[in-house]
Amino acid sequence: MNVLAQAWQWLRRLLGFGPVEREVLRLQDTSGGRAADVTKELVRMEGPLVPHHRRLIVRDKRLLPDAARRTFSLGRKKVMAAGEARRLFAGTLRTKNRELRTLATDEAQLERLGLPCWRSEEELAAGLSLTVKQLRHLSTHRLREKVSHYLAFSIPRRSGGERVIHAPKKRLKRVLRQVNALLVSKLPVHPAAHGFVKGRSVKTNAEPHVGRAVVVKLDLKDFFPTVTFARVRGLLIALGYGYPVAATLAALCTEAERQRVELEGEVFHVPIGPRVCVQGAPTSPGLCNAMVKRMDARLTGLAKKLGFTYSRYADDLAFSSDDPGQVPVLINRATRIIHTEGFTVNGEKTRVMRQGTGQRIAGVTVNSVLGLSRRQRRQLRAEAHHQRTKGATPEQQAALTGRLAWLSMLNPAQAAKLKTRR
């Protein structure tokens, strides 16, 4: 019986149905100089990738141990093309996590989410109207880039300092807009997110907080730069994409801060930090919204438990309630949740706004009605009167028209009073 059982197990392994083991002989105990106890590890071949999630483990059999000998063939079979192998083990796609490297596409998961099914770089390139060579040119991380794909410049922050903008050049911008339309705009986003979401705005973000006794505002520090290449890659893998496609898309949608260096008469753009979602790329807002979906869900649950209402516009988090006594508990627990999700609260921008003071969320006043504060409306009225009596340049007229249109979107009644006096 033992002989038959052993023969059956041997036959299952030969056909590729048995457990898959990976040699890890390089794992050594450097402290004692002896070999580690573990020399082999089992490769998970089925079940969910993460417990209680629907994304299943699907492996690229070409990358499994002894993959070439697990299929019947009369001669030696080529596992993959040389170009694909070089790409997979090059610096851009290289990873120490062997569990990730062999993951293939979970087509059922992508179908459930309504996302495009790209099983390989060839299919991804075709979907973006590119050749594989063009796709890899745009999605390769180089330590010495002769021609950068981005133009970096600074703009002043309203609160002081400068904000660095990375504007993708024409060809990359066209590709990123396609990625945004085909993929990023379809990523699942929590209902509490209002920034960069179709059909939502600063108005919908502020409406739930009108007329509340207390409004608490938290700010996420370095929101976009906190979403790194590795986090984008992990998000795409969790959504169902295989490792090569997820890593290529992550490289395409991120960029590192670079320094201009001249060496032997040549100019290079050298990265001085990790690849992150940069401000200026069309895909960054949608990816960041999808990245914080779980954080939004946790903060919504916390707010509901403490009697608060929660909404988020980009990196501005707003909570409101009629029970000011719960504010310290809310701030403490919300900060802990934010930190466990990999983000940081900017303590300098934390605000607790009560009735009787100006309650503003993302530039919108929410004390009793939605709109602008009395002081802001007086400034607009004075500016309109000055232009009517003294005249104005076309630029000044355009600026006033834009501010009135902004107020009209927030509160048409307030805007109508100013327009009649214009």
Side-chain angles (χ1 to χ4, degrees):
M1 184 66 180
N2 290 335
V3 176
L4 290 175
Q6 291 177 1
W8 173 243
Q9 292 299 330
W10 174 83
L11 181 60
R12 281 176 59 84
R13 286 196 297 271
L14 180 65
L15 296 174
F17 296 113
V20 179
E21 292 184 338
R22 183 186 288 116
E23 299 280 349
V24 286
L25 295 176
R26 291 176 296 174
L27 189 63
Q28 298 289 326
D29 183 3
T30 55
S31 58
R34 62 181 179 82
D37 295 334
V38 179
T39 58
K40 292 183 179 181
E41 63 181 12
L42 285 175
V43 181
R44 292 189 301 150
M45 296 294 294
E46 58 185 3
L49 183 63
V50 178
H52 311 299
H53 284 218
R54 300 184 70 182
R55 204 284 193 206
L56 299 179
I57 294 173
V58 183
R59 298 287 182 199
D60 185 345
K61 294 185 178 180
R62 301 175 302 169
L63 300 175
L64 294 176
D66 302 326
R69 296 199 296 270
R70 288 182 176 275
T71 56
F72 288 108
S73 61
L74 297 177
R76 186 168 181 175
K77 189 176 180 181
K78 191 173 182 179
V79 176
M80 65 174 61
E84 185 181 1
R86 283 195 299 269
R87 172 68 169 174
L88 186 61
F89 295 98
T92 305
L93 269 61
R94 189 179 300 145
T95 177
K96 295 180 181 178
N97 191 330
R98 295 183 294 269
E99 290 292 301
L100 287 182
R101 183 190 298 165
T102 58
L103 283 174
T105 303
D106 182 354
E107 298 181 24
Q109 171 80 340
L110 294 176
E111 184 178 355
R112 278 193 297 270
L113 297 174
L115 301 178
C117 185
W118 294 320
R119 291 176 288 266
S120 64
E121 283 188 298
E122 288 75 15
E123 293 186 7
L124 173 59
L128 299 177
S129 303
L130 298 171
T131 65
V132 174
K133 184 177 180 180
Q134 290 172 333
L135 174 64
R136 290 176 179 173
H137 172 69
L138 294 173
S139 60
T140 296
H141 180 70
R142 300 176 180 86
L143 297 180
R144 295 196 310 171
E145 185 77 73
K146 289 187 177 181
V147 180
S148 176
H149 295 304
Y150 287 82
L151 294 174
F153 57 92
S154 300
I155 59 175
R157 291 178 180 267
R158 186 174 57 182
S159 57
E162 292 184 335
R163 186 189 305 274
V164 179
I165 304 297
H166 289 78
K169 294 182 179 178
K170 187 175 181 180
R171 182 168 61 169
L172 178 59
K173 182 184 288 187
R174 178 186 64 80
V175 174
L176 290 180
R177 283 176 174 169
Q178 283 185 286
V179 174
N180 190 62
L182 296 173
L183 171 64
V184 177
S185 63
K186 300 177 182 178
L187 296 181
V189 177
H190 195 272
H194 293 264
F196 318 112
V197 179
K198 188 175 181 181
R200 306 179 198 172
S201 64
V202 291
K203 181 179 180 179
T204 61
N205 177 63
E207 281 174 338
H209 308 287
V210 175
R212 307 302 294 271
V214 63
V215 176
V216 179
K217 189 179 77 168
L218 301 180
D219 183 85
L220 299 180
K221 186 177 182 181
D222 299 328
F223 180 46
F224 281 20
T226 304
V227 182
T228 61
F229 162 83
R231 298 184 74 171
V232 175
R233 183 185 64 188
L235 170 68
L236 295 172
I237 288 174
L239 292 172
Y241 288 103
Y243 178 80
V245 172
T248 298
L249 281 168
L252 188 66
C253 297
T254 58
E255 172 62 342
E257 183 181 354
R258 296 181 181 269
Q259 183 175 340
R260 193 172 181 272
V261 176
E262 187 171 347
L263 180 64
E264 297 179 353
E266 286 192 274
V267 175
F268 297 97
H269 301 271
V270 180
I272 56 175
R275 295 185 73 93
V276 298
C277 285
V278 293
Q279 296 189 57
T283 51
S284 292
L287 286 172
C288 291
N289 270 341
M291 187 65 62
V292 298
K293 182 175 182 288
R294 186 174 67 176
M295 185 187 77
D296 285 336
R298 295 180 66 186
L299 291 176
T300 298
L302 172 66
K304 186 176 180 180
K305 183 177 181 180
L306 298 178
F308 281 77
T309 300
Y310 166 72
S311 68
R312 179 181 60 80
Y313 191 91
D315 56 356
D316 288 335
L317 282 60
F319 302 84
S320 64
S321 173
D322 291 324
D323 183 8
Q326 293 289 339
V327 169
V329 179
L330 172 79
I331 294 178
N332 182 273
R333 294 186 183 179
T335 301
R336 245 184 299 167
I337 289 174
I338 292 167
H339 285 182
T340 58
E341 291 295 331
F343 294 88
T344 304
V345 175
N346 187 348
E348 296 179 357
K349 293 186 177 182
T350 299
R351 298 286 184 272
V352 178
M353 300 166 286
R354 304 176 188 274
Q355 281 288 2
T357 63
Q359 296 177 326
R360 298 181 65 190
I361 299 174
V364 181
T365 300
V366 295
N367 284 74
S368 55
V369 295
L370 197 71
L372 297 182
S373 67
R374 186 177 302 172
R375 180 179 58 84
Q376 291 172 314
R377 297 200 304 274
R378 284 174 177 171
Q379 289 177 344
L380 277 177
R381 188 182 302 116
E383 186 175 343
H385 175 75
H386 183 273
Q387 289 192 14
R388 187 172 62 251
T389 56
K390 304 294 184 181
T393 64
E395 291 78 11
Q396 292 173 331
Q397 292 177 353
L400 179 60
T401 301
R403 294 171 66 185
L404 287 173
W406 160 258
L407 178 57
S408 181
M409 184 269 292
L410 296 176
N411 191 319
Q414 290 181 353
K417 293 180 181 179
L418 293 177
K419 290 178 180 179
T420 55
R421 300 181 183 180
R422 189 176 176 184

